[in-house]
Amino acid sequence: MRRIVGIVLAVLLIGGVAVAVVAGRESQDTGTATKTVRGVIGSEKAEFFADPEVVKALAAKGFTVKTETSGSWDMEQLPLTGYDFAFPASKAPADELRRKSKIQGAPLRPFYSPLVVVAHRKAAEILAGNGLATLSGKASGTLHMGPYLDAAKADRTWQQLKGSAGHAELSGTLFISSTDPLASSSGALYLAAASYVADGGKVAADDAAVARTAPLLKKLISVQGAQQTSSDAPFRDFISGVGNPLVLVYESQVASLLLQKQDVGDLVVLYPDTTVSSDHTLVPLTESGRELGELLATDKRLRELSVRHGFRPQGAAAEFTAATAAHTDYLNQKLTGVRQAPVPTSPVLHAMAQRARS
């Protein structure tokens, strides 16, 4: 009898443990992601989607997001089958993706970031001493696009600028490193801003307008030699102390490092007096992709996390201003003195990039 009772108790105990394990799994499942979505994104958003806090916040809303990176314009060449969304860095490649895939419904723009030029301190001081920039603080200032483009037309070198003597790292032709405009959004937007300034404040609208600034834009690109297809690599090279002393990047890349309290060395942020803000535009390819885009735009926690990665949420300037209050030495929070250049239509921007690279 004692043996029988022991067996019965053992069976009950095992059964109880099994029930507890199943119950525990069920309770865990209710709090984890239930829907997996796949997307192709610009490399500048890779760290955002890889952030454990972002993963956790998405999971709490029922999403697991798997991403692959690509240059924004290169996304056009990718097969869209199997993706739930594409997330280039600006509206123009998003428009092309929508046209190619015949997607219905408007794209979503959860956040944006203006283009800026990062410079090492000495390079920024020399630019300021030669009328090409104005320094407004310890680590920020304004790049004067008109004088800079005039210098580019004249093939000016660093050695021709007063104050450059004795700085061997500042030699050769003066230029800003940018990404390949045929592959990357930031490179194409750089041409849009330069064209707008060079053509007297006119947005290029046809072949004649493209032709007027094509020689200058070609010079801006050809002097660089081989170009990267995303802004991530040249920015990392700059931070590590190699590469060109002037690099075009997204403000978000700088703000992200500052908010994460990483060392930025002697970095100075120059806001072009005429620039372009890159509207990071999510193109939904499925209903799940649309749900994700709406979540990124509206969820409070995800907006907070996008700011932590340096992005400016659409329609919520106060969120960015509050988060970056300790970094005004570097960041022009209200974009004071910065004019936004209109961006040409996608076909015109493509033509501009092709002429610049030809």
Side-chain angles (χ1 to χ4, degrees):
M1 179 62 71
R2 193 175 295 169
R3 180 177 297 174
I4 292 172
V5 171
I7 293 172
V8 171
L9 289 173
V11 171
L12 290 173
L13 179 60
I14 292 171
V17 170
V19 169
V21 170
V22 171
R25 285 176 179 166
E26 288 178 348
S27 66
Q28 290 174 0
D29 288 345
T30 60
T32 57
T34 58
K35 185 184 298 183
T36 298
V37 294
R38 289 186 62 221
V40 57
I41 63 172
S43 63
E44 69 287 334
K45 293 181 285 289
E47 289 189 2
F48 171 75
F49 281 104
D51 184 338
E53 290 298 316
V54 173
V55 173
K56 181 180 176 181
L58 288 169
K61 297 296 182 178
F63 284 90
T64 293
V65 179
K66 295 185 177 180
T67 62
E68 301 169 28
T69 60
S70 167
S72 292
W73 284 108
D74 278 347
M75 291 181 191
E76 286 183 47
Q77 311 305 320
L78 298 175
L80 299 176
T81 305
Y83 290 113
D84 295 288
F85 68 96
F87 205 171
S90 65
K91 180 179 179 294
D95 287 344
E96 285 299 294
L97 286 167
R98 292 178 69 224
R99 183 188 61 78
K100 174 186 175 183
S101 57
K102 298 181 173 59
I103 298 160
Q104 300 300 313
L108 300 118
R109 302 184 182 95
F111 39 73
Y112 67 99
S113 183
L115 287 169
V116 300
V117 174
V118 290
H120 293 296
R121 181 72 195 180
K122 192 60 192 180
E125 289 174 347
I126 291 173
L127 291 179
N130 287 269
L132 302 178
T134 299
L135 299 183
S136 55
K138 169 187 168 186
S140 67
T142 301
L143 176 71
H144 303 308
M145 283 292 285
Y148 166 71
L149 293 176
D150 288 341
K153 288 178 190 175
D155 297 316
R156 292 184 74 181
T157 65
W158 283 102
Q159 292 94 323
Q160 292 173 329
L161 300 181
K162 63 182 181 182
S164 63
H167 296 281
E169 74 280 9
L170 300 176
S171 62
T173 304
L174 172 70
F175 69 90
I176 295 170
S177 288
S178 63
T179 53
D180 183 349
L182 289 174
S184 168
S185 179
S186 60
L189 294 179
Y190 174 47
L191 297 184
S195 169
Y196 182 77
V197 173
D199 206 20
K202 299 175 185 175
V203 59
D206 52 31
D207 289 341
V210 172
R212 282 197 297 272
T213 61
L216 171 61
L217 301 188
K218 184 173 182 178
K219 184 168 287 192
L220 295 178
I221 298 303
S222 62
V223 71
Q224 299 183 46
Q227 291 178 291
Q228 301 280 356
T229 58
S230 79
S231 60
D232 185 59
F235 181 59
R236 291 183 182 278
D237 286 346
F238 177 89
I239 292 297
S240 65
V242 299
N244 195 47
L246 302 175
V247 181
L248 184 82
V249 301
Y250 295 107
E251 178 196 57
S252 59
Q253 293 171 286
V254 178
S256 178
L257 289 187
L258 295 171
L259 290 166
Q260 294 173 40
K261 296 180 170 34
Q262 295 190 35
D263 182 19
V264 295
D266 66 345
L267 176 146
V268 174
V269 184
L270 298 175
Y271 287 77
D273 55 16
T274 301
T275 190
V276 176
S277 279
S278 181
D279 290 322
H280 294 273
T281 305
L282 187 146
V283 179
L285 307 177
T286 65
E287 188 56 36
S288 294
R290 176 166 294 283
E291 291 173 11
L292 173 66
E294 291 172 348
L295 192 63
L296 291 172
T298 60
D299 183 77
K300 184 176 183 297
R301 178 57 178 157
L302 287 168
R303 288 167 69 89
E304 290 174 354
L305 290 168
S306 71
V307 171
R308 190 170 82 177
H309 284 271
F311 299 109
R312 294 174 180 248
Q314 291 285 1
E319 294 179 31
F320 181 84
T321 301
T324 59
H327 304 292
T328 53
D329 281 348
Y330 294 91
L331 304 176
N332 183 346
Q333 293 179 309
K334 298 182 179 180
L335 300 179
T336 303
V338 175
R339 178 171 57 168
Q340 293 293 320
V343 179
T345 63
S346 296
V348 171
L349 196 56
H350 251 313
M352 193 179 288
Q354 287 168 345
R355 290 286 295 271
R357 289 280 290 163
S358 65

